[in-house]
Amino acid sequence: MSIGAHIWAIAEGYIPGGGVADDPALVSHETACILNAGEEAARVSITLYFADREPAGPYLVTVPARRTLHLRFNDLTEPEPAPRDTDFSAVLSSDAPVVVQHTRLDSRHPNVALLSTIAFPVT
Amino acid sequence: MSIGAHIWAIAEGYIPGGGVADDPALVSHETACILNAGEEAARVSITLYFADREPAGPYLVTVPARRTLHLRFNDLTEPEPAPRDTDFSAVLSSDAPVVVQHTRLDSRHPNVALLSTIAFPVT
Amino acid sequence: MSIGAHIWAIAEGYIPGGGVADDPALVSHETACILNAGEEAARVSITLYFADREPAGPYLVTVPARRTLHLRFNDLTEPEPAPRDTDFSAVLSSDAPVVVQHTRLDSRHPNVALLSTIAFPVT
Amino acid sequence: MSIGAHIWAIAEGYIPGGGVADDPALVSHETACILNAGEEAARVSITLYFADREPAGPYLVTVPARRTLHLRFNDLTEPEPAPRDTDFSAVLSSDAPVVVQHTRLDSRHPNVALLSTIAFPVT
């Protein structure tokens, strides 16, 4: 079952620089959840946009057939690390249809805050 | 009034394994809210996708006519329990139009965090 | 400027029964934010759907031209009060195009949690 | 790459009047994240709608080509300051396609709550 769109945009992006948790699951993170429900691997190219410099990327990831990837922007390192404490946006371009959802866990304060939204599918 | 789509995707899925609350309403949970505003029961088949194994399911639920079902993924047990502390995505396929919204309540910390988003309708 | 759709669905609905705050702004509440950017008043009819009983409503509200209404479901009393601690969904039907967003503030714990999502526009 | 829509609506708007944080990143704020992935600057005109008065604006901002702007409504001052502790909605009209996401950080309580949703694209 092939579901979704080839291009998705996430206008909101921000990786908090710190966090109160030692548990990796509770470290502040910014995530793009990418579902590939299809029968072919999806090669996804990610570009990051900033307020005051040229875009970074492309960052390349592959989501195998019938798999999901909960990609932490924190983990993007090539061609350059995704910056902390910096406003950004992201555009994901895939050679196969995927579904993208954006989630942030913020643990800077002695608690946890969450946000999530479907990304914007370009059609 | 028949409203919605037959197929919905939720790219983000994660059931926190613990929680601080004894009150069932405050136990960590991941929910797919399914509204069937139509005049026929909706039979919904749910497939879960993972990062590193084949999909699980189908999980079968029925939403009667003119009813809503706030389905906790925690409660999915057949054909196998929905795993805790594991990234997943979900695709819901219904034989009648429904509307799906995704919500998580996370009570791992001594507080409560919430997220919610409309799911992605496949058209 | 006439913007939006005539019918919107919110699959997730839940009014927490309690809260820690004396400040009305911080009392637990479930909100449908309705923007009428047009030049004519919008008469909106709201139906609530439940898990195990027939729908309630219609609840009738009017959003004047060029105004927004942040409607708390807590405040719906006619033809019957919106129930607390009960799962529900909502369908809003308007005679003029509007834009609807769903927000909940939950203050049951000694903190505040928020969720929000665009509602589902029926087209 | 030109992505998005020319008009976006955010039905939910509310700037909490206070906050517990000295860190500017943790002061309560309401944000419209505007991504301009295209090759031309986007001139964006913002109108705010209220419950009981005529709309305010237009507020004018420019998002350069290949840039993102995480605009805090708190910072809108001309033609008049965006009010605190007041319900509002926003319509953004751009001369180039953009993608808009709505986020709020609420730090009134001794913790932080977050919400976010894709805005509503008018097509």
Side-chain angles (χ1 to χ4, degrees), chain A residues 7-14 30 47-55 85-93 102 104-106 108-122, chain D residues 1-5 8 20-21 23 25-26 31 33-38 64-70 98-105 107 109-119 121:
Chain A
I7 302 178
W8 292 81
I10 300 171
E12 192 0 342
Y14 186 84
E30 181 93 0
T47 302
L48 303 184
Y49 294 82
F50 302 98
D52 51 13
R53 48 156 289 193
E54 286 295 307
D85 296 322
T86 303
D87 293 337
F88 67 92
S89 295
V91 173
L92 299 89
S93 180
H102 168 226
R104 181 188 305 151
L105 182 147
D106 184 335
R108 287 175 292 182
H109 259 219
N111 68 358
V112 169
L114 287 173
L115 66 79
S116 186
T117 182
I118 187 75
F120 177 72
V122 179
Chain D
M1 186 160 45
S2 191
I3 290 179
W8 292 80
V20 298
D23 180 354
L26 291 175
T31 307
C33 299
I34 309 170
L35 167 62
N36 176 12
R66 302 181 304 282
R67 295 293 185 275
T68 186
L69 173 64
H70 291 208
V98 293
V99 178
V100 177
Q101 186 172 340
H102 168 227
T103 300
R104 180 187 306 150
L105 183 145
S107 61
H109 259 219
N111 69 358
V112 169
L114 286 173
L115 66 79
S116 186
T117 182
I118 188 76

Side-chain angles (χ1 to χ4, degrees), chain B residues 52-115:
Chain B
D52 51 12
R53 49 156 286 191
E54 285 296 305
Y59 300 89
L60 303 176
V61 297
T62 296
V63 187
R66 301 180 306 280
R67 294 292 184 276
T68 185
L69 174 63
H70 290 209
L71 175 69
R72 292 189 179 199
F73 286 102
N74 305 35
D75 293 337
L76 295 178
T77 54
E78 293 293 334
E80 62 182 290
R84 269 57 175 171
D85 297 322
T86 303
D87 293 338
F88 68 91
S89 295
V91 173
L92 299 90
S93 179
S94 172
D95 64 355
V98 293
V99 178
V100 178
Q101 186 172 339
H102 168 226
T103 300
R104 180 187 305 149
L105 181 145
D106 184 336
S107 61
R108 287 175 292 183
H109 259 220
N111 68 357
V112 169
L114 287 173
L115 65 79

Side-chain angles (χ1 to χ4, degrees), chain C residues 45-68:
Chain C
S45 169
I46 302 168
T47 302
L48 303 185
Y49 293 82
F50 302 97
D52 51 13
R53 49 156 286 194
E54 285 296 304
Y59 300 88
L60 303 176
V61 297
T62 296
V63 187
R66 301 181 304 282
R67 295 292 184 277
T68 185

